[in-house]
Amino acid sequence: MQTIRGFSISQELRERFLSAKSVFVLTGAGVSAESGVPTFRGGGNTAVWKGMPFDVISSARMVERNLPAVWEWFDYRRNLLKSLQPNPAHVEIARWQDRFENFTLVTQNIDGLHQEAGSRNVIELHGSIWRARCVTCQVRFNILKDEARPDACLDCGDSLRPDVVLFGELLPPDAFEHAAEEAAHCDLCFVVGTSAIVYPAASLPEIARTAGAYICEVNPERTPLSNLCNEMLTGNAGEVLPLFG
Ligand SMILES: NC(=O)c1ccc[n+]([C@@H]2O[C@H](COP(=O)([O-])OP(=O)(O)OC[C@H]3O[C@@H](n4cnc5c(N)ncnc54)[C@H](O)[C@@H]3O)[C@@H](O)[C@H]2O)c1
Ligand SMILES: [Zn+2]
């Protein structure tokens, strides 16, 4: 058993981790907190941009009413993210993808830090701040760190919008269905840094639990999911997850 500042991973969890065939990880804003990205509840949800509250400027309605203002807000946020690096939690999760027969990483984050740490095939439930999408033909374009973002669709010439799920919008159905299918087939599920109040994302650990998986939460605080979990690792993701390595 390894310990950090009095913290330990149970023998049972360690054994399950060593023998697991199918591991499912759901992450939220907390996994990026140690990289310097504010969590939603830790201040992100009180942000105001040019007098507009966060949920107004980040809404489907604002895309229709004032797309340039939406871009200005996302350009500003992307710019802040530019210099931030993945932390040890992202790095450890990226290692796991080659360790298990079947591994699925699902994130609610839009910051791209899992990919930057080397994670492949990340299921992004809320899209990515590093992509733009055509409002008409839905074609997606990557936004590169050090280049200007494309300002019109290269296929049809129409406007682009951030490829992010905004307030008032549904999750991309394929992403959620894919995630739910994997959750239903895992034997070990980690829920890392999410307040687990945003549905349907929060239903994924419930699906895993119903399917008989062992559920482990990594969070310095309790959440509505804590009672459903078999094990609660109370601490920062960047300190707790490397203990598995
Ligand atoms: N990084 C990002 O892309 C980002 C940032 C903020 C918000 N969001 C969006 O906001 C919504 C909010 O839901 P959410 O549940 O992801 O975030 P949330 O802010 O509601 O919850 C964050 C959770 O992380 C925990 N936490 C804080 N520091 C941690 C750490 N070091 N290690 C582990 N856990 C830690 C908190 O206790 C809390 O439970 C999501 O839809 C997400 O898309 C994304
Ligand atoms: Zn187009």
Side-chain angles (χ1 to χ4, degrees):
M1 198 189 294
Q2 275 180 291
T3 56
I4 181 170
R5 284 203 252 132
F7 179 89
S8 66
I9 293 171
S10 75
Q11 194 59 32
E12 165 148 28
L13 178 55
R14 188 156 289 284
E15 279 163 16
R16 283 180 183 271
F17 185 78
L18 290 174
S19 63
K21 299 260 179 297
S22 184
V23 172
F24 181 95
V25 179
L26 172 67
T27 66
V31 81
S32 295
E34 289 155 89
S35 293
V37 188
T39 61
F40 192 57
R41 292 190 319 158
N45 63 338
T46 51
V48 172
W49 177 249
K50 300 203 166 165
M52 279 179 278
F54 175 84
D55 56 344
V56 172
I57 186 69
S58 301
S59 68
R61 194 139 180 255
M62 195 56 72
V63 166
E64 284 163 22
R65 287 175 49 183
N66 193 347
L67 185 53
V70 174
W71 268 122
E72 238 186 276
W73 162 240
F74 277 95
D75 287 346
Y76 165 76
R77 290 178 63 196
R78 221 175 44 251
N79 210 37
L80 292 180
L81 286 170
K82 239 185 200 173
S83 58
L84 302 184
Q85 302 294 324
N87 67 56
H90 297 107
V91 173
E92 182 65 24
I93 292 170
R95 283 202 191 110
W96 292 1
Q97 69 197 339
D98 297 319
R99 182 168 187 156
F100 302 100
E101 238 171 77
N102 190 18
F103 178 79
T104 307
L105 172 57
V106 181
T107 189
Q108 298 167 86
N109 297 346
I110 60 170
D111 56 32
L113 288 171
H114 280 303
Q115 288 89 339
E116 206 165 322
S119 284
R120 306 180 296 269
N121 305 320
V122 183
I123 301 178
E124 293 174 319
L125 292 178
H126 295 162
S128 173
I129 201 161
W130 297 103
R131 279 194 310 270
R133 184 173 90 227
C134 176
V135 295
T136 304
C137 68
Q138 310 297 324
V139 171
R140 293 176 165 85
F141 300 92
N142 288 329
I143 304 177
L144 303 176
K145 258 190 187 172
D146 298 312
E147 287 179 30
R149 65 173 161 78
D151 55 4
C153 175
L154 298 176
D155 281 14
C156 76
D158 212 339
S159 304
L160 298 175
R161 54 160 284 173
D163 189 25
V164 163
V165 177
L166 301 172
F167 288 92
E169 295 183 323
L170 298 173
L171 299 194
D174 293 357
F176 182 74
E177 275 165 30
H178 183 193
E181 203 177 310
E182 296 297 337
H185 290 100
C186 71
D187 40 52
L188 180 56
C189 167
F190 286 88
V191 187
V192 184
T194 174
S195 59
I197 44 180
V198 180
Y199 275 81
S203 66
L204 293 168
E206 293 170 355
I207 292 171
R209 180 69 208 247
T210 306
Y214 193 81
I215 318 288
C216 171
E217 181 170 55
V218 180
N219 199 313
E221 289 175 27
R222 288 185 71 79
T223 76
L225 277 185
S226 302
N227 284 339
L228 170 123
C229 293
N230 298 91
E231 198 147 332
M232 169 93 203
L233 303 182
T234 309
N236 291 330
E239 292 174 307
V240 170
L241 292 179
L243 295 177
F244 286 90

